Amino acid sequence: MSEMTLVQAVNRGLFEAMKQDPDVLVLGEDVGVDGGVFRATDGLIKEYGAERVIDTPLSETGIIGTAIGMALYGLKPVAEIQFLDFIYPAFDQIVSELAKFRFRSGGQYPCHVVIRAPYGGGIKGGVYHSQSTEAYFCHTAGLKVAIPSTPADAKGLLLTAIHDEDPVMFFEPKRIYRTATGDVPDGDYRVPLGQARTVREGEHLSIFAYGAMVPPASEAASALAKDGISAEVIDLRTLVPLDEAAAVASVEKTGRAVVVHEAARFCGFGAELSAILAERAFYSLKAPILRVTGYDTPFPYALENVYLPNAARIEAAARAVMREG
Amino acid sequence: MAKAAQSAPEVAPGVSHALSNDRLLSMYRVMVLARAIDERCLSLQRQGRIGFYAPASGQEAAQIGCAAALGDEDWIFPAYREIGIALWRKVPFRALMDQFIGNSTDRVKGRQMPNHYSFRDHNFVSPSSPIGTQITQAVGAAMAMQRRHVPQVTATFFGDGATSSNDFHAGMNFAGVYRTPTIFFCQNNQWAISLPRSRQTHSATLAQKAEAYGFSGVVVDGNDVHAVFDAVAAARERALAGEGPTLIEAQVYRFGPHSTSDDPHRYRSDADVAEWKRKDPILRLREELRTSGALTDEAESQLQEAVKREISEAIEAAEGAPALDPLTLFDDTFAQRTPRLEEERAEFQRLLREGVIRP
Ligand SMILES: Cc1ncc(C[n+]2csc(CCOP(=O)(O)OP(=O)(O)O)c2C)c(N)n1
Ligand SMILES: [Mg+2]
């Protein structure tokens, strides 16, 4: 066990995976000599060489297309997309190819690539270094989607993703890369995909969040506790497969739900989660489900602090659902 | 005659001495089979017995000349028109027919429209419809071969239209940078649906695009099996020697429609087609084999008969195979069904049982 930041935990996870299996390799822009623009791949090239830590030309479709070819052949590529905002040149390779290879070949060609991408706002990145577009990928059958919020989960989910048999989109909350710190188990530590984590237990309402929204959700729960409102905070950790059972069980217990994400609201992941809760926990609900999300505008630069959900907005939504029913 | 692309190294043209008469005969046989399958499948589609078909007529020498120069261990990253490659690799027509129907013996379980078959046992990777996407993948698999230090290459197949796609340029660029053992085999059949080659790019040749990526591109007469074989064999040798990729532009002509959904009369003249049909690669090889005495009239008519029989038997068998089990829909999205897919499958099963969904 050692204490570290979230980005260090990603780095430890990559070191561990490359040590465990010579078929694991890392590729992307500036991942080698530079160690990645966020230093997530720092030191890997020194340890494992340029054959396994590949600095690529500036082409996302090239990165993902070649990663797919490597995976078809039996390697385990972990591709880095420098910012989630720049993934779209590879969108075709991800949604038309990676997600569908196993299915379209009748199971003959599994295609296991892990794609890491820092996502989200709060770093003064403006329109193109801030977006949270996980919903696009959740909507595509054949992709798993994981988003850690703690250093331990970052390492544990990443190692599981790398050893999984399916493609995994691994989105890293860059805003808390260095502010989220915590103990991380040494060695081969794995967190299963598809299992939510109860951050804190509560009786009166359930707050669902993931990635960089987990800390403000917890903060809101602490503030509510001072007024005797007991909020359960659930970190979803994987959006696909989603731990629907945990989400439904929590709402069956509390009867109220607030869903938080920094992505825009319309057709965001919260829409799916709200629909699932409405379908499966309707008779437990004492109040309408509320969503606390980014707005349905492109991501702003100067106004990011008021665009992004924070503890105060989450707390206000929680108080609103408490007033009903 | 093969001719070199502008400022690209030349590939020796002419009749290859690498190909014995026996080998030429077996190539000829597969070319004849491919042509006959095309003709039958166009009519099967008109009769509503298969949903779609994209013919390869006119491209047989390019495909089979190329396939014959590759090793069985080399990986094929095809587009949707590569029937000659599959047949050369000894994929039985029955297996293709199963795929065109999407029956219970279809290797890809009825997931894709006709022409999108794949056979892992034959190193024939699964194609998709989006143009060009296989090109970067072929480069990635070649990078994996480099990493494993195995004497294999990847060959990727695409058309003149695909040279405008993102992945063509990305793939060529990566292949140049990492000097991958990749053969980029472009069948320039002069058309991308209705768009003529001249409107696809202002480059004099497609092959010359390789030069910008730091490796050689060659133009070959795709109606000449010898020229194609030689160009591919040379490219493969270079790739295996660690000398990197090659782009080969095989100049051919698409005799038929783009697909059964296409009416080529809207964009090209019969005279143009007739002109190219005089260079029909099958007639050309037939003439050569007759002149050399390798093919007699009797052998030719036996071959035509055998091919017809093989095709009819395969169609009958494929049409007689049981229909696909609808529940297979829920296999292969992931390695294991997620809880959600289990639930959807159970719901689907119930709807089938209740007759709400009818296969
Ligand atoms: C990305 C993409 N855009 C458009 C299409 C529709 N489309 C299918 S085939 C084709 C033309 C392809 O031409 P070419 O690459 O020359 O191959 P050919 O069909 O001649 O073998 C087009 C436009 C497609 N399949 N994928
Ligand atoms: Mg074409």
Side-chain angles (χ1 to χ4, degrees), chain A residues 282-300:
Chain A
F282 182 79
Y283 295 106
S284 304
L285 283 169
K286 297 175 193 146
I289 301 162
L290 284 190
R291 286 177 283 168
V292 182
T293 67
Y295 295 101
D296 290 312
T297 67
F299 194 98

Side-chain angles (χ1 to χ4, degrees), chain A residues 248-265:
Chain A
V248 169
S250 177
V251 171
E252 280 172 351
K253 178 174 76 175
T254 63
R256 292 178 168 87
V258 171
V259 179
V260 186
H261 55 63
E262 56 183 291
R265 182 169 307 175

Side-chain angles (χ1 to χ4, degrees), chain A residues 201-222:
Chain A
E201 291 197 30
E203 300 295 322
H204 303 138
L205 83 153
S206 307
I207 303 176
F208 297 98
Y210 51 88
M213 289 294 103
V214 173
S218 299
E219 203 186 312
S222 300

Side-chain angles (χ1 to χ4, degrees), chain A residues 17 20-21 24 76 112 158-165 190:
Chain A
Q20 288 168 351
D21 188 342
V24 174
K76 294 181 171 179
H112 166 55
L158 181 58
L159 274 170
T160 305
I162 293 171
H163 294 296
D164 201 81
E165 294 173 279
R190 304 203 195 177

Side-chain angles (χ1 to χ4, degrees), chain A residues 63-247:
Chain A
I63 294 167
I64 305 303
T66 54
I68 288 171
M70 293 174 193
L72 294 173
Y73 196 78
L75 300 184
K76 294 181 171 179
V78 182
E80 176 176 302
I81 297 295
Q82 207 160 70
F83 288 79
L84 181 57
D85 309 67
F86 307 133
I87 205 166
Y88 306 105
F91 200 59
D92 192 25
Q93 284 291 344
I94 296 168
V95 304
S96 304
E97 304 294 319
L98 180 59
K100 296 174 173 55
F101 244 108
R102 181 190 290 275
F103 182 83
R104 80 184 197 208
S105 65
Q108 296 180 93
Y109 286 99
C111 189
H112 166 55
V113 175
V114 174
I115 300 177
R116 297 179 37 249
Y119 85 95
I123 62 145
K124 287 283 171 209
V127 185
Y128 298 113
H129 294 78
S130 307
Q131 298 168 83
S132 302
T133 54
E134 59 277 6
Y136 293 149
F137 303 95
C138 295
H139 189 61
T140 298
L143 300 175
K144 292 178 175 172
V145 180
I147 305 184
S149 74
T150 66
D153 282 353
K155 179 177 174 183
L157 289 169
L158 181 58
L159 274 170
T160 305
I162 293 171
H163 294 296
D164 201 81
E165 294 173 279
D166 297 309
V168 183
M169 306 300 294
F170 193 83
F171 297 143
E172 299 165 6
K174 61 179 177 290
R175 167 151 65 142
I176 58 171
Y177 256 160
R178 292 178 216 307
T179 55
T181 56
D183 281 337
V184 176
D186 299 324
D188 185 19
Y189 172 64
R190 304 203 195 177
V191 172
L193 300 176
Q195 264 181 36
R197 178 175 67 95
T198 305
V199 181
R200 73 190 270 161
E201 291 197 30
E203 300 295 322
H204 303 138
L205 83 153
S206 307
I207 303 176
F208 297 98
Y210 51 88
M213 289 294 103
V214 173
S218 299
E219 203 186 312
S222 300
L224 291 162
K226 291 189 191 119
D227 288 340
I229 300 172
S230 159
E232 180 147 293
V233 177
I234 306 243
D235 177 357
L236 296 172
R237 300 203 288 196
T238 29
L239 305 188
V240 183
L242 179 65
D243 192 348
E244 297 180 35

Side-chain angles (χ1 to χ4, degrees), chain B residues 7-63:
Chain B
S7 23
E10 192 151 346
V11 162
V15 171
S16 166
H17 300 290
L19 294 170
S20 67
N21 271 345
D22 273 359
R23 193 141 163 96
L24 281 171
L25 270 175
S26 54
M27 291 165 77
Y28 177 70
R29 189 189 175 282
V30 175
M31 288 166 66
V32 168
L33 177 63
R35 179 71 58 90
I37 290 172
D38 264 11
E39 281 159 13
R40 275 303 284 277
C41 286
L42 290 175
S43 82
L44 289 180
Q45 193 277 338
R46 279 194 295 272
Q47 295 160 17
R49 289 156 74 182
I50 60 177
F52 171 90
Y53 192 74
S57 296
Q59 303 182 206
E60 293 91 347
Q63 295 189 357

